């Protein structure tokens, strides 16, 4: 994956605990083009690599804009971005990747929860530019924690945005079941935010008759998994025949690293797909949020950063 050196041109407080960063190419050249829903890997320092969605308009290749929530429960990335990365700093990023693409559709419903607004806002920018029909609902804990409100207010699509605050009156809170009952069932739903918000939207949509193909999701963090029943299994490297034991308290990636085998990894939670590996034999126990249900059923690939094995051995294309 190509990497780029970018300078922090602007750092702006968008809301309580949320800052945006405007990144420009150190070389002065345009950055790689991207599509709505894309994200970049940001090398923060001390080995930290985190994924952040691009939230500016996709036609703006002279800059990338990301929004970062300061999360005390994070693994250090968001705090480092808030406290350590300043205007003028040069950091390394990847080329944009898109696991949350906006498909061509006449009817789109955008649903954002908290900092999940970042890819959703990029989609709104794209749809507005292409004169697409869409409606966007933006849920957050309070008005003070709602990022990009000034930018939205000044946009051409401001009238398509509906705000819902947890601390607001009942009348303004999102009634998703009612919203979906008034929405054509062929509409494509795009949702991003906390895992609980996404799961609620997905379940409500399915209960309302929506097909999986019309529900598009992007998680920012994986839900906690009960690992008390994890057992021991082996992985075999197809290239050499070497067999490596994976202990109950270690991931496949950790076991491979201990054996001197490097696997490219980024999020470590099965969200980004960086470590995706082909499975030649065996049955994976999928714990990622990257593969679709259909891809998981095929059992021909897995994310070794978090997934395990249902069979005594997995043969991996490594």
């Amino acid at each position: 994956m190509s990497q780029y050196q970018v300078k922090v041109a602007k750092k702006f407080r968008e809301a309580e605990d949320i800052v945006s960063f405007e990144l420009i190419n150190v070389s002065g050249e345009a950055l790689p083009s991207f599509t709505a829903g894309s994200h970049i890997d940001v090398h923060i320092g001390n080995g930290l690599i985190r994924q952040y969605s691009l939230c500016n308009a996709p036609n703006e290749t002279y800059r990338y804009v990301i929004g970062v929530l300061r999360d005390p429960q994070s693994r250090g990335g968001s705090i480092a971005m808030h406290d350590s990365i300043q205007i003028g700093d040069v950091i390394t990023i990847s080329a944009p990747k898109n696991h949350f693409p906006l498909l061509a559709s006449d009817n789109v419903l955008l649903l954002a929860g908290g900092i999940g607004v970042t890819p959703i806002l990029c989609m709104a920018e794209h749809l507005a530019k292409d004169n697409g029909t869409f409606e966007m609902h933006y849920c957050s804990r309070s008005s003070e924690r709602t990022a990009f409100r000034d930018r939205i207010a000044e946009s051409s699509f401001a009238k398509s945005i509906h705000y819902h605050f947890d601390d607001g009156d009942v009348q303004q809170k999102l009634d998703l079941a009612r919203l979906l009952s008034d929405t054509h069932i062929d509409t494509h739903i795009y949702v991003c935010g906390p895992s609980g918000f996404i799961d609620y939207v997905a379940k409500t949509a399915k209960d309302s008759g929506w097909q999986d193909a019309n529900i598009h999701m992007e998680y920012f963090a994986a839900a906690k998994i009960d690992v008390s029943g994890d057992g021991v299994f082996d992985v075999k490297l197809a290239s050499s025949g070497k067999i490596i034991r994976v202990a109950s308290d270690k991931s496949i990636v950790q076991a491979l690293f201990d054996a001197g085998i490097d696997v490219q990894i980024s999020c470590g939670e099965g969200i980004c797909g960086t470590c995706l590996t082909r499975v030649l034999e065996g049955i994976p126990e999928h714990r990622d949020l990257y593969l679709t249900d259909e891809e998981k059923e095929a059992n021909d690939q897995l994310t070794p950063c978090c997934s395990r094995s249902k069979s005594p051995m997995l043969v991996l294309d490594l």
Side-chain angles (χ1 to χ4, degrees):
M1 175 65 66
S2 299
Q3 295 184 343
Y4 299 86
Q5 297 293 107
V6 295
K7 183 173 70 174
V8 179
K10 294 179 182 178
K11 180 180 180 181
F12 184 75
R13 183 184 184 275
E14 298 287 353
E16 184 176 340
D17 289 334
I18 298 176
V19 296
S20 63
F21 295 84
E22 180 179 306
L23 310 174
I24 61 173
N25 201 334
V26 168
S27 70
E29 298 177 351
L31 290 161
S33 61
F34 66 96
T35 52
S38 294
H39 71 270
I40 54 173
D41 295 340
V42 178
H43 296 248
I44 301 169
N46 297 321
L48 288 177
I49 303 175
R50 296 293 181 263
Q51 292 72 43
Y52 296 105
S53 297
L54 297 175
C55 62
N56 53 304
N59 62 313
E60 295 178 348
T61 56
Y62 68 92
R63 66 170 185 166
Y64 290 159
V65 178
I66 59 175
V68 181
L69 168 69
R70 183 186 181 91
D71 182 2
Q73 305 301 317
S74 76
R75 296 168 295 146
S78 72
I79 294 175
M81 289 291 289
H82 274 249
D83 295 348
S84 302
I85 306 299
Q86 305 298 334
I87 294 174
D89 287 350
V90 174
I91 57 177
T92 301
I93 65 170
S94 72
K97 295 175 280 188
N98 198 341
H99 305 318
F100 188 41
L102 180 64
L103 306 180
S105 174
D106 291 334
N107 297 294
V108 172
L109 177 62
L110 304 176
L111 299 171
I115 194 60
V117 72
T118 49
I120 297 298
L121 184 54
C122 185
M123 291 180 176
E125 294 276 9
H126 172 81
L127 290 167
K129 184 176 181 298
D130 281 12
N131 296 317
T133 301
F134 74 96
E135 186 174 317
M136 174 175 159
H137 291 259
Y138 185 179
C139 303
S140 63
R141 290 167 59 184
S142 66
S143 174
E144 294 76 19
R145 293 181 175 271
T146 305
F148 305 108
R149 290 196 72 180
D150 289 344
R151 172 178 159 188
I152 292 172
E154 296 169 359
S155 72
S156 63
F157 53 86
K159 293 183 179 179
S160 299
I161 312 301
H162 305 271
Y163 293 99
H164 309 278
F165 306 122
D166 290 350
D167 65 353
D169 295 337
V170 173
Q171 290 83 356
Q172 56 83 54
K173 293 186 178 181
L174 177 64
D175 185 343
L176 185 59
R178 180 177 178 179
L179 173 63
L180 294 180
S181 70
D182 294 335
T183 303
H184 196 281
I185 204 165
D186 288 335
T187 296
H188 281 256
I189 299 172
Y190 294 83
V191 54
C192 187
S195 57
F197 177 75
I198 293 176
D199 293 342
Y200 163 67
V201 170
K203 182 180 186 305
T204 304
K206 291 177 183 179
D207 290 347
S208 300
W210 256 258
Q211 299 298 310
D212 288 345
N214 282 28
I215 306 172
H216 312 276
M217 304 169 284
E218 182 167 70
Y219 289 85
F220 278 152
K224 291 187 181 298
I225 296 174
D226 182 5
V227 298
S228 60
D230 286 355
V232 176
F233 60 95
D234 293 320
V235 293
K236 181 178 181 180
L237 309 185
S239 60
S240 64
K242 185 175 182 177
I243 296 176
I244 299 167
R245 176 61 53 93
V246 180
S248 60
D249 61 348
K250 288 195 173 183
S251 67
I252 297 174
V253 162
Q254 289 172 324
L256 292 172
F257 283 167
D258 290 346
I261 299 159
D262 289 334
V263 177
Q264 188 176 7
I265 185 172
S266 183
C267 73
E269 296 185 319
I271 296 172
C272 69
T274 299
C275 66
L276 194 64
T277 303
R278 287 183 62 207
V279 176
L280 303 181
E281 294 180 30
I283 304 174
E285 180 184 329
H286 298 288
R287 295 183 175 179
D288 65 278
L289 297 170
Y290 176 75
L291 295 172
T292 65
D293 290 342
E294 292 77 10
E295 289 171 332
K296 289 177 180 178
E297 290 175 2
N299 285 327
D300 58 359
Q301 52 189 337
L302 90 165
T303 53
C305 67
C306 65
S307 297
R308 299 186 70 77
S309 180
K310 293 182 180 179
S311 53
M313 179 181 290
L314 291 175
V315 180
L316 303 180
D317 188 18
L318 293 172

